[in-house]
């Protein structure tokens, strides 16, 4: 027993010291696990060029956001450069979690480096806080066999022939066969604001956040939003062309298993199915007849942690990783990630390897993001806004009255914004 | 004669019937998880809708088990083992010491303090989790093993158990030792502890199971992946990645089986410790 | 030697008690006060500047004006009223059933013990998969009897019940242990004597079993109520308070306000209220149904 105690105490003491061991000059870079592969070689190159050592810490998505929240609350100074989820830029800026970066880009024009969508997402109140690392794009995938069997025309990748949501619904109605377990359509990220924002925006309802970012009154219950909510309710309840219950982890599996006719989702999905037997095609993102053509976009940005003691060094790292053409190109070529950097965008539109299926998914998505991107609602209360909007969509999907749900959401989000005024 | 025969047997059959239903509801979830953990996902789905009893026959593949260890499940197991064992050692020590104090001594405030420690058991961990979390951050224990172990050591039930047991130790034994010049700590360590093996087993098991099964506190207090405890990792297979069902079940089986083995072996001591009633 | 001996002796029990006492005060008592204090503070970010202001009871005022709070309170109340009687009666019933002398009783009891060893998060995840509206085992099974598939956790009406099922699956096995121990404590002679007097089983139950089991039942009632009051693991893993806030119990609302929105003032004011309410409920139970608590926990 005593032996165990000695061992225990020794372990304890060792852990005390290892906890405090962080070399003074080392930068702590906090990123998502998916980015470790792509970024590590460039971080090493950065160290080789500048002599600044970097310690990479990776987290899965939900943990990443949570750990930044907790550290922000505690004003911890043990991290230096971080990943910033694009729509959270205003939130982090207002709550003092990221440092302003205009001074670190004084010698270059941001608009020359990044595409407009990325620039607007990177700034708040006229100041740039977090340059974009990459972008994302939404396109339409369709199961050729199911569509042929239902007699639908294949959706087009040509702008003038872009399919409308109305046409999608008509086709889906013919495909849906509950006894066979096949459904007409499904969204990649069901009941998520990121995916569904395109619906109210296409109907002219705006992002849901009012100008200024500190209120939603009237902006979440306007005509466009009400119509979109009703439509979302209808596809799951009235017309029954989209299944309930499946969560964002399962939707792509369903399409991959041949159970879905039309799948609207991220460009990266093509990698999931290109080697399987699935006979599928890609097309442009739908829009509402007479409405605007819009798609979801934006992805990850990088920022300098505001409580860091080595902001200058961190800013150097951030600038290198986001603004270097070589990083952008590698991201595109090796990781099929949509570029936010102009040279990356150029590469995708000009390099012939992106002309053919399945790589043209990148080209298609880049085109959509570049021209029809809608940034998510810009508000410091984005965490609250998004969570409430997401649950609202899910409630509507499960049969809740769209008007009542939206009204309730608007009231709740409005009161949660009190803290930011 | 025949009628009486039927009358006697009826309650037995009824009893068996009800017990059977109860057993089915109790055991089937676990059994289904276990069986499915050896199959591939397509099979699992196929056997469930439409429903066939094949879903209750175990599969034969060990792939899911390999898979979860590739994903860091092994690390989580080790972490949880470390935290649980440390908690058992630490918890047994400080709680038995407190029990000893209450059993052997009359001192000022002893009844009040005893009542206080017992009542502390009634404070639900989940209610104080949030302020405790803020406190951990304030003292720099956030995201460390300290936070996982130390706040969970003091335990009113265990103090009660040890006190109960120590009271039962004949006073003569200890008086003799005092006369021989043994210090109080010596009495505690050399006499009372060796005698209290059953309580140690039961209490130790309680502490172990408590830490092994804890989810909320580790989730809040130590979120970095290298400190993940087993229940947190388990829950994450379900919301984060594609819910790979067979891996989910494999993980659940291991995580669930582990404490069960100990509880089964030391059933008597466990139930004694839990209920405070001697089990024959 | 005797006077010195006595003087030094007084400190000994305190020394033995010290670690556990310090740990209890530090980690169980102090957090309650931290929670209380923080519930009086309002943090705002107007204009990008963080301000922490002591606002006394204002957080509570906003809370009471928030319909979501009242909704949570209602759900918590419904859950409490439903789950505790169900769990306790099932536990008691099971314990009574398991008192029977049968050659398989050992194995049967061990089997019913299984859910105790299975942690709640595991049980939640497995049951969650079993209750899946499209591919769940439960829907597949009831389909055999011609019952159409049920939405369970995605339905406003069934979600709370589904959680009750999950918690009960685990809870009954656990509380049954206590009642079983209490039942075994009842001297057999009492039953034998009443049998000679020609008493029927139901009279046995009413006049012997129940009164002597009172202490155990009371303990289980109080402990179970307290535990279920802060039940939030299934909400965190499965329902996130939905659908349509139908499973948004107070403790989950507190968790969400704190950990998702970082609104600690709101979170801790809910927690403080929760602690208060549960103390009141436990107090009531003890007062109306119990005797003075002596050393039995």
């Amino acid at each position: 027993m005593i032996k165990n105690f000695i061992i225990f105490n020794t372990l304890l003491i060792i852990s005390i010291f290892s906890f405090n061991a962080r070399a003074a000059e080392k930068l702590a870079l906090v990123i998502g696990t998916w980015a470790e592969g792509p970024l590590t070689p460039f971080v090493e190159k950065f160290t080789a060029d500048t002599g600044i050592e970097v310690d990479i810490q990776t987290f899965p998505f939900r943990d990443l956001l949570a750990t930044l929240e907790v550290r922000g609350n505690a004003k911890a100074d043990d991290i230096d450069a971080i990943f910033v989820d694009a729509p959270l830029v205003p939130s982090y800026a207002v709550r003092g979690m990221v440092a302003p970066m205009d001074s670190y880009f004084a010698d270059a024009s941001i608009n020359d480096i990044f595409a407009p969508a990325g620039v607007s997402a990177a700034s708040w109140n006229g100041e740039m806080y977090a340059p974009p690392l990459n972008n994302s794009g939404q396109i339409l995938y369709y199961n050729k066999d199911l569509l042929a069997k239902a007699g639908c025309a294949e959706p087009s990748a040509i702008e003038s022939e872009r399919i409308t949501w109305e046409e999608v619904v008509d086709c889906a109605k013919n495909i849906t066969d509950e006894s066979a377990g096949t459904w007409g359509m499904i969204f990649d990220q069901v009941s998520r604001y990121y995916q569904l924002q395109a619906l109210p925006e296409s109907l002219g309802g705006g992002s849901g956040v009012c100008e200024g970012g500190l209120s939603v009154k009237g902006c979440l219950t306007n005509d466009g939003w009400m119509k979109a909510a009703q439509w979302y309710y209808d596809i799951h309840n009235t017309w029954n062309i989209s299944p309930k219950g499946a969560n964002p982890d399962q939707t792509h599996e369903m399409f991959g298993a041949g159970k879905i006719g039309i799948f609207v989702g991220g460009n990266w999905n093509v990698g999931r199915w290109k080697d399987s037997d699935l006979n599928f095609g890609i097309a442009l993102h739908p829009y509402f007849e007479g409405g605007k053509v819009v798609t979801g976009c934006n992805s990850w940005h990088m920022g300098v942690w505001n409580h860091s003691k080595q902001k200058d060094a961190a800013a150097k790292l951030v600038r290198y990783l986001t603004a270097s053409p070589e990083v952008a190109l590698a991201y595109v070529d090796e990781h099929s990630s949509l570029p936010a950097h102009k040279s990356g965008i150029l590469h995708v539109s000009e390099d012939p390897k992106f002309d053919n299926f399945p790589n043209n998914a990148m080209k298609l998505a880049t085109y959509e993001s570049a021209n029809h991107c809608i940034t998510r609602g810009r508000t410091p209360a984005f965490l609250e806004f998004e969570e409430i909007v997401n649950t609202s969509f899910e409630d509507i999907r499960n049969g809740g009255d769209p008007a009542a749900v939206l009204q309730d959401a608007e009231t709740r989000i409005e009161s949660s914004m009190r803290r930011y005024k | 004669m025949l009628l009486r025969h039927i009358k006697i047997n009826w309650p037995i059959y009824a009893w068996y019937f009800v017990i059977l239903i109860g057993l089915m509801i109790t055991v089937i979830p676990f059994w289904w998880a276990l069986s499915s953990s050896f199959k591939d996902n397509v099979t699992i789905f196929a056997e469930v809708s439409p429903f066939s009893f094949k879903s209750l026959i175990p599969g034969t593949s060990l792939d899911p088990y390999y898979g979860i260890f590739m994903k860091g499940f092994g690390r989580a197991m080790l972490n949880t083992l470390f935290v649980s064992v440390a908690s058992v050692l630490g918890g047994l020590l400080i709680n038995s010491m407190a029990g000893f104090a209450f059993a052997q001594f009359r001192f000022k405030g002893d009844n009040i303090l005893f009542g206080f420690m017992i009542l502390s058991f009634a404070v639900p961990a989940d209610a104080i989790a949030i302020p405790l979390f803020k406190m951990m951050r304030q003292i720099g224990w956030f995201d460390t093993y300290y936070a996982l172990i130390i706040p969970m050591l003091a335990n009113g039930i265990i103090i009660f158990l040890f006190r109960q047991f120590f009271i039962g130790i004949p006073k003569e034994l200890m008086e003799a030792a005092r006369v021989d010049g043994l210090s109080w700590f010596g009495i505690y360590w050399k006499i009372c502890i060796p005698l209290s093996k059953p309580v140690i087993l039961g209490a130790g098991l309680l502490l172990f199971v408590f830490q092994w099964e804890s989810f909320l506190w580790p989730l809040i207090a130590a979120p970095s992946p290298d400190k993940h405890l087993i229940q947190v990792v388990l829950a994450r297979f379900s919301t984060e990645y594609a819910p790979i069902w067979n891996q989910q079940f494999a993980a659940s089986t291991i995580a669930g089986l582990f404490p069960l083995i100990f509880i089964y072996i030391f059933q008597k001591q466990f139930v004694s410790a839990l209920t405070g009633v001697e089990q024959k | 030697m005797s006077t010195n001996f006595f003087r030094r002796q007084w400190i000994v029990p305190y020394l033995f008690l010290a670690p556990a006492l310090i740990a209890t005060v530090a980690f169980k008592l102090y957090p309650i006060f931290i929670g209380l204090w923080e519930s009086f503070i309002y943090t705002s970010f107007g204009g990008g500047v963080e301000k922490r202001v002591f606002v006394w009871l204002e957080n509570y005022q906003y809370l009471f004006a928030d319909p979501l709070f009242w909704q949570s309170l209602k759900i918590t109340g419904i859950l409490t009223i439903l789950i505790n009687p169900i769990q306790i009666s099932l536990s008691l019933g099971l314990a009574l059933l398991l008192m029977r002398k049968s050659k398989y009783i050992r194995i049967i009891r061990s089997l019913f013990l299984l859910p105790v060893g299975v942690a709640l998060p595991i049980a939640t995840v497995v049951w969650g998969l079993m209750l899946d509206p499209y591919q769940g085992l439960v829907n597949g099974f009831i389909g055999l009897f011609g019952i159409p598939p049920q939405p369970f956790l995605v339905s406003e009406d069934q979600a709370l019940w589904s959680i009750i099922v999950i918690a009960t699956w685990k809870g009954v096995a656990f509380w049954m242990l206590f009642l079983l121990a209490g039942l075994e404590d009842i001297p057999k002679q009492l039953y034998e004597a009443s049998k000679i007097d020609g008493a029927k089983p139901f009279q046995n139950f009413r006049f012997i079993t129940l009164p002597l089991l009172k202490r155990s039942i009371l303990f289980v009632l109080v402990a179970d109520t307290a535990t279920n009051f802060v039940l939030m693991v299934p909400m965190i893993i499965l329902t996130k308070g939905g659908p349509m806030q139908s499973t948004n119990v107070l403790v989950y609302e507190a968790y969400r306000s704190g950990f998702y929105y970082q609104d600690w003032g709101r979170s801790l004011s809910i927690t403080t209220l929760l602690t208060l309410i549960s103390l009141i409920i436990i107090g009531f139970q003890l007062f109306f149904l119990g005797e003075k608590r002596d050393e039995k926990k």
Side-chain angles (χ1 to χ4, degrees), chain B residues 1-15, chain C residues 100:
Chain B
M1 267 303 243
L2 213 58
L3 229 64
R4 204 155 29 113
H5 209 64
I6 296 177
K7 235 184 178 161
I8 295 175
N9 284 335
W10 215 88
I12 292 187
Y13 287 140
W15 184 82
Chain C
R100 188 186 205 108

Side-chain angles (χ1 to χ4, degrees), chain A residues 344-359:
Chain A
I345 297 176
L346 208 60
H347 176 58
V348 170
S349 43
E350 297 191 343
D351 193 317
K353 80 171 179 195
F354 294 107
D355 284 341
N356 296 314
F357 191 79
N359 292 331

Side-chain angles (χ1 to χ4, degrees), chain A residues 69-70 73 75 94-95 183 243-246 250 383-384 387-388 391 395 398 400 405 412 418-421, chain C residues 42-50 58 62 68 132-134 154 243-245 256 260-264:
Chain A
E69 286 299 322
V70 170
N73 224 242
K75 302 192 184 11
V94 165
R95 292 187 293 150
W183 298 88
K244 300 188 198 185
Q250 298 168 316
L383 284 168
E384 294 91 326
E387 207 242 352
I388 295 176
T391 37
D395 285 343
N398 285 323
V405 169
R412 285 206 290 139
R418 184 173 66 102
R419 298 195 291 152
Y420 300 97
K421 299 202 178 148
Chain C
Y42 176 70
T43 312
S44 71
F45 295 99
V49 175
E50 182 177 336
E58 215 178 86
Y62 270 102
L68 192 59
D132 186 295
Y134 291 112
V154 294
M244 302 287 281
Q245 310 305 323
R256 174 163 62 181
Y260 292 171
Y261 304 158
Q262 304 295 312
D263 189 348
W264 297 105

Side-chain angles (χ1 to χ4, degrees), chain C residues 172-186:
Chain C
V172 163
F174 187 72
W175 302 117
M176 176 262 294
L177 278 179
F178 290 90
L179 294 175
L180 206 54
L183 279 173
E184 299 206 317
D185 246 5
I186 300 177

Side-chain angles (χ1 to χ4, degrees), chain C residues 3-17:
Chain C
T3 36
N4 262 346
F5 184 75
F6 253 124
R7 281 225 187 94
R8 246 185 307 132
Q9 240 205 23
W10 73 265
I11 206 177
V12 174
Y14 291 107
L15 286 177
F16 271 99
L17 193 51

Side-chain angles (χ1 to χ4, degrees), chain B residues 65-76:
Chain B
Y65 287 90
Y66 289 143
I68 58 176
F69 281 104
M70 290 292 110
K71 282 201 184 140
F73 189 72
R75 178 74 205 248

Side-chain angles (χ1 to χ4, degrees), chain B residues 48-122:
Chain B
V48 157
S49 69
F51 182 77
S52 96
F53 282 102
K54 276 208 279 206
S55 60
L56 295 175
I57 302 177
T60 51
S61 155
L62 278 178
D63 283 341
Y65 287 90
Y66 289 143
I68 58 176
F69 281 104
M70 290 292 110
K71 282 201 184 140
F73 189 72
R75 178 74 205 248
M77 269 187 78
L78 281 168
N79 286 340
T80 318
L81 220 61
F82 170 63
V83 169
S84 304
V85 169
S87 304
V88 168
L89 295 176
L92 282 176
L93 183 67
I94 71 172
N95 289 316
S96 61
M97 277 169 62
F100 183 72
F102 286 121
Q104 292 311 320
F105 299 91
R106 299 269 130 245
F107 50 95
K108 239 213 222 143
D110 60 356
N111 277 329
I112 296 180
L113 282 175
F114 186 62
F116 170 66
M117 308 286 278
I118 301 294
L119 265 163
S120 74
F121 146 73

Side-chain angles (χ1 to χ4, degrees), chain A residues 143-154 171 174-175 177 180 182 258:
Chain A
N143 184 322
K144 291 191 179 177
D145 297 330
L146 284 180
L147 257 70
K149 215 162 54 159
C152 307
E154 292 193 359
C171 180
N174 290 333
I175 297 178
D177 181 3
T182 50

